[in-house]
Amino acid sequence: MVKTALITGASGGIGYELAKVFAANNHDLILVARSIDKLQRIQDELTKTHGLQVHVIGCDLSQIDAPQLLFERIQQQQLTVDVLVNNAGFGDYGPFADCDWAKQIALMQLNMGSLTHLIRLCLPPMLERGYGKILNVASTAAFQPGPFMATYYASKSYVMSFTEALAHEIKGTGVTATVLCPGPTRGTGFQARAELGDVDFFKKFKLPAASEVAQFGYAALERNQVVAVHGFFNQLLVFTNRLMPRQLVTNAVGQLQAPPEN
Ligand SMILES: NC(=O)c1ccc[n+]([C@@H]2O[C@H](COP(=O)([O-])OP(=O)(O)OC[C@H]3O[C@@H](n4cnc5c(N)ncnc54)[C@H](OP(=O)(O)O)[C@@H]3O)[C@@H](O)[C@H]2O)c1
């Protein structure tokens, strides 16, 4: 039977690539983002290539009531969410004391609040049916504090911790939870939205493509892996992190991400 995957942040980057992977693996789709025009283009593309049902919903998930409204809309359309992919998220670069507070609130609500609320809404029907899959996109940022992107790193730690706890709670129910932790990834709008222009580790290293990350995330979800860190280098970094004093790791990230001196 064809399953339906709800993917947030599907208008570009990793979310768009995830939509393509789910479509290629015979899933109907509910694609969510703010840019409805981009979603409609993707709807056309994926419907033509795969002949599946692709629904698109324009929605700003940084608004506190957005998950409830989105869920009600899905229910009105009598759609079933078999797979929930909480991918939408963004970062914000700079010293915390200078940050734009409205942007920070939006970051925290999108990266943590809406992700958690959508799971709260979609999980009970999944448990009732005895089937469901949840994929939360965190980051390798989840594994340590991140000076000059403090709330972003903290939000991804939340996503990882929450997913691990949830996976434990729902063990044996037929519903699974996976947290995908990519490192810096090319072919996304992340760098621009986070205003990371001056800290250009995105240019210094050969980074994996969003399509590779999406394939990896889908495979991890399929094998019910709880924590999935993408790439050997990132896995090594995460492992080394665990062996090092936290203060040392924080200092290293702080140095790597420090804004250039004028
Ligand atoms: N790229 C990286 O290096 C990297 C590394 C590790 C983890 N990640 C994580 O991967 C996930 C996907 O990011 P990406 O790299 O693919 O970035 P991206 O290319 O900027 O894509 C972000 C997606 O989220 C959507 N989105 C942003 N704000 C939204 C809002 N308020 N409401 C609904 N949708 C919203 C965007 O669509 P609209 O603008 O149309 O709303 C877009 O579809 C994020 O959770 C990010 O933290 C990225």
Side-chain angles (χ1 to χ4, degrees):
M1 207 179 105
V2 176
K3 302 284 186 202
T4 301
L6 163 62
I7 305 176
T8 70
S11 66
I14 296 169
Y16 167 54
E17 296 297 335
L18 280 165
K20 289 201 282 187
V21 176
F22 276 95
N25 286 281
N26 204 33
H27 287 73
D28 286 340
L29 299 170
I30 307 166
L31 305 180
V32 179
R34 292 168 305 173
S35 317
I36 191 73
D37 51 331
K38 288 186 192 166
L39 289 179
Q40 281 162 347
R41 281 201 293 276
I42 294 167
Q43 180 183 40
D44 283 351
E45 176 201 329
L46 297 182
T47 311
K48 273 184 203 133
T49 0
H50 299 284
L52 295 156
Q53 298 263 357
V54 182
H55 307 268
V56 295
I57 303 178
C59 178
D60 182 353
L61 286 167
S62 67
Q63 300 298 310
I64 200 154
D65 56 350
Q68 183 67 42
L69 295 173
L70 173 61
F71 188 68
E72 282 167 14
R73 204 154 150 200
I74 289 166
Q75 283 186 316
Q76 278 158 14
Q77 296 185 34
Q78 297 185 325
L79 298 170
T80 301
V81 178
D82 300 298
V83 184
L84 170 62
V85 182
N86 276 307
N87 163 75
F90 73 93
D92 187 27
Y93 174 64
F96 181 73
D98 301 339
C99 70
D100 171 348
W101 185 240
K103 193 173 178 187
Q104 291 287 320
I105 291 279
L107 182 157
M108 291 187 278
Q109 184 55 34
L110 178 65
N111 294 10
M112 297 184 285
S114 285
L115 172 145
T116 314
H117 194 179
L118 276 176
I119 294 172
R120 177 63 186 87
L121 292 163
C122 295
L123 180 60
M126 287 179 174
L127 291 172
E128 219 165 277
R129 290 193 300 273
Y131 180 84
K133 286 185 176 295
I134 297 166
L135 178 65
N136 291 330
V137 181
S139 164
T140 48
F143 292 89
Q144 68 281 301
F148 307 109
M149 288 186 84
T151 53
Y152 177 71
Y153 276 59
S155 75
K156 294 303 185 181
S157 290
Y158 169 88
V159 173
M160 192 173 78
S161 169
F162 173 68
T163 312
E164 288 179 282
L166 183 70
H168 179 89
E169 286 186 27
I170 61 180
K171 211 179 281 175
T173 62
V175 185
T176 63
T178 296
V179 58
L180 168 64
C181 302
T185 304
R186 70 187 151 84
T188 77
F190 180 83
Q191 195 184 354
R193 181 107 194 258
E195 298 174 70
L196 263 163
D198 290 334
V199 179
D200 232 343
F201 52 79
F202 273 77
K203 277 187 191 148
K204 280 186 195 145
F205 302 103
K206 190 176 175 294
L207 301 177
S211 54
E212 288 172 52
V213 171
Q215 289 283 359
F216 174 80
Y218 180 81
L221 186 73
E222 281 298 290
R223 59 175 180 267
N224 303 334
Q225 192 174 338
V226 178
V227 180
V229 178
H230 177 255
F232 175 73
F233 179 71
N234 292 325
Q235 287 164 10
L236 191 69
L237 220 62
V238 164
F239 178 74
T240 322
N241 257 359
R242 290 204 172 110
L243 306 176
M244 280 163 62
R246 200 158 161 90
Q247 184 63 55
L248 205 70
V249 176
T250 310
N251 289 346
V253 179
Q255 272 169 24
L256 188 70
Q257 297 192 150
E261 283 170 23
N262 292 323

